[in-house]
Amino acid sequence: MSTPAQYYQSLPPVSKFYGVACLMTTSAFYLALYDPWNIALSYQDVFKRFQVWRLITNFFFLGPFSPFFAVRLIMIARYGVLLERVPFDKRTADYVWMLMFGALSLLVMAAIPFLWTPFMAGSLVFMIVYVWSREFPNAQISIYGVVTLKGFYLPWALLALDLIFGASLMEDIIGMVAGHLYYFLTVFHPLAGGKYVLKTPLWVHKLVAYWGEGIQINSPVQRDPSAGVAFRGRSYRLDGNRARTTTAPSEQNQTDNSARQPNSGEGVAFRGKSYRLSGH
């Protein structure tokens, strides 16, 4: 059995970052370090007061510590991690683009007054669950050890549980809509002969390469070799001269010997034993 530190290190980068960010946001709220309405989604403050950070920060607040918060965090740790490890294995940029597309879709839907919610982290998590249910439709899921059903029906079962517990269903529904829109454009539409219109943009590949975490196969951008390096420069001796790179002695001797010895085979078309015509 792995330790908590080993489990944390084994998590894929995107799901780990998002889960930790949501946990830290709620922890800071619990410590009364900020007012949550300063990070809530408000288009009036975005366009009139230029508080553009609200378009991003509202996706990191899952609410105060509660059973609802715990369930949503477990969804990230369970279904987000499985989604990133299997269908999006070695496709970190594609997974980041999926989350970005989901966030953009939710922001567009939130512009409609009756679909607006101040915090859309729950909707983004529900989108992850919906995409997972499409990727693993036949997986066996147990709900509180009472009901066992296929993965395809998981979002609907969670929707029914929120209805029973009296939680708002709007966040879940728009999350499912965003997830279905993504899956339709990336899977259903291309399979029907349509054009693949949701290709991961180049700037997302550059962002992931600069981040230096995860792997993207067939990426058009090479990973930034300086990612995680605090300083890189030239080295100098104390006398002010640049330090020259030395060659290993064995390599240097081989180089010198090969340079000194002429190629005795140049210009020779045939090499073998010679015999006189008499056979001696």
Side-chain angles (χ1 to χ4, degrees):
M1 183 178 295
S2 61
T3 63
Q6 291 174 340
Y7 170 76
Y8 176 80
Q9 294 296 330
S10 67
L11 294 175
V14 181
S15 299
K16 177 167 62 176
F17 170 80
Y18 186 56
V20 171
C22 292
L23 178 62
M24 296 300 294
T25 303
T26 299
S27 299
F29 168 72
Y30 179 77
L31 297 174
L33 298 179
Y34 70 96
D35 184 356
W37 291 106
N38 290 331
I39 64 173
L41 177 62
S42 173
Y43 284 112
Q44 183 177 2
D45 291 330
V46 169
F47 293 108
K48 291 186 177 180
R49 300 180 181 177
F50 302 103
Q51 297 179 358
V52 294
W53 65 82
R54 295 176 179 270
L55 298 175
I56 300 175
T57 54
N58 76 93
F59 288 104
F60 294 95
F61 186 67
L62 287 171
F65 288 122
S66 63
F68 176 85
F69 169 83
V71 170
R72 292 300 185 264
L73 198 63
I74 291 174
M75 288 181 181
I76 299 174
R78 173 66 176 172
Y79 305 110
V81 168
L82 287 176
L83 197 62
E84 189 174 357
R85 280 179 174 171
V86 183
F88 288 91
D89 183 34
K90 297 182 176 62
R91 296 172 54 203
T92 304
D94 295 338
Y95 191 70
V96 171
W97 174 237
M98 183 201 75
L99 295 179
M100 287 184 175
F101 175 81
L104 291 173
S105 301
L106 292 172
L107 289 175
V108 172
M109 286 186 280
I112 304 174
F114 66 90
L115 295 180
W116 173 84
T117 55
F119 304 101
M120 309 194 75
S123 300
L124 188 61
V125 172
F126 222 82
M127 174 203 169
I128 295 174
V129 173
Y130 183 87
V131 175
W132 180 91
S133 70
R134 287 292 186 171
E135 292 288 346
F136 300 91
N138 297 319
Q140 296 296 316
I141 301 298
S142 177
I143 304 296
Y144 296 116
V146 177
V147 180
T148 301
L149 68 162
K150 291 185 177 181
F152 179 82
Y153 302 103
L154 178 62
W156 304 99
L158 295 176
L159 190 67
L161 288 176
D162 285 346
L163 178 63
I164 294 173
F165 293 147
S168 174
L169 301 183
M170 186 59 64
E171 294 183 4
D172 301 346
I173 294 174
I174 61 177
M176 294 173 64
V177 171
H180 184 76
L181 180 61
Y182 172 83
Y183 203 75
F184 174 80
L185 293 176
T186 56
V187 179
F188 291 151
H189 185 61
L191 287 178
K195 185 179 180 181
Y196 188 81
V197 297
L198 209 59
K199 183 179 179 181
T200 304
L202 180 62
W203 63 270
V204 177
H205 286 283
K206 291 182 178 180
L207 178 64
V208 172
Y210 180 79
W211 183 25
E213 296 288 341
I215 301 173
Q216 177 68 36
I217 58 175
N218 299 326
S219 175
V221 179
Q222 296 295 328
R223 181 172 176 176
D224 186 4
S226 62
V229 178
F231 175 77
R232 175 175 294 168
R234 297 176 177 178
S235 60
Y236 290 87
R237 297 179 186 272
L238 294 178
D239 57 2
N241 298 324
R242 283 186 57 187
R244 299 177 60 183
T245 303
T246 60
T247 308
S250 59
E251 297 180 357
Q252 186 173 1
N253 293 335
Q254 293 177 1
T255 304
D256 294 339
N257 294 334
S258 60
R260 294 172 184 174
Q261 295 177 357
N263 189 353
S264 58
E266 288 186 352
V268 179
F270 176 78
R271 177 174 293 166
K273 295 182 179 180
S274 59
Y275 293 90
R276 298 189 178 185
L277 295 178
S278 60
H280 298 291

